[in-house]
Amino acid sequence: PATARTTLVLGERYFADVIVNPARYGFAVPAWLLRMTAALVPQPDLTVLLANDPAVIHARKPELPVDEIADQLQRFAAELPAWGEHLTVRTDVPPAAVAARISARVIELCAARTARRLGTGAGGG
C-alpha cells in the first residue's frame, strides 16, 4: 500500500539475503524451497549491494571470515539480477559519494515511475 501512495520504502537484508545466507536466519531447507518461496515475495523496485574488498569489510565487521565474505559477495552479485533492478555500489569511496550514487538512482527510478503514471514518456531509467 505505501508504494501505491508513492512512498519510498526502505528495507535491509531483503529475501535475497535469505537465499544467499540462509544460515543467518536459521534455515536448513533445500535451495529449491527457498527459490519457490522467493517467487511469492514482492519484488523490490531497487536492490542495492554495498561492496568492498572482503578484507576491508572483515576489518569493520569480523563476524565472518574473509573467504566467506568474498563468497557471499559473489553469490549476491549472481543473485541480484533475479530481483530486478539492482545497483552495486563500492564503499571504498567517501560515504557522501555512496549516498549520492544511491540517491541519484532512486531519483531516476522515481522520475521514470512518475513519467509512466503521467503518460509523458519522460524520465530516466
Side-chain angles (χ1 to χ4, degrees):
T3 302
R5 292 188 309 265
T6 67
T7 301
L8 177 64
V9 179
L10 300 176
E12 181 182 11
R13 298 193 188 281
Y14 199 60
F15 202 82
D17 190 53
V18 173
I19 292 174
V20 169
N21 188 10
R24 176 193 320 266
Y25 303 94
F27 295 142
V29 298
W32 66 265
L33 183 57
L34 289 175
R35 289 258 172 242
M36 191 167 65
T37 304
L40 303 173
V41 174
Q43 191 154 1
D45 293 322
L46 175 66
T47 302
V48 178
L49 173 63
L50 301 176
N52 203 328
D53 180 84
V56 173
I57 295 171
H58 182 265
R60 187 177 62 81
K61 294 197 55 100
E63 294 91 35
L64 299 174
V66 173
D67 60 337
E68 176 62 21
I69 293 169
D71 185 54
Q72 283 190 23
L73 286 171
Q74 288 178 342
R75 289 186 306 202
F76 269 115
E79 179 64 28
L80 289 185
W83 292 90
E85 184 70 34
H86 61 282
L87 173 66
T88 298
V89 179
R90 296 283 307 180
T91 60
D92 50 2
V93 297
V98 172
R101 176 121 189 261
I102 296 168
S103 298
R105 188 64 188 131
V106 168
I107 290 168
E108 289 171 2
L109 291 171
C110 289
R113 177 187 290 171
T114 300
R116 283 191 306 275
R117 286 182 179 167
L118 296 175
T120 64

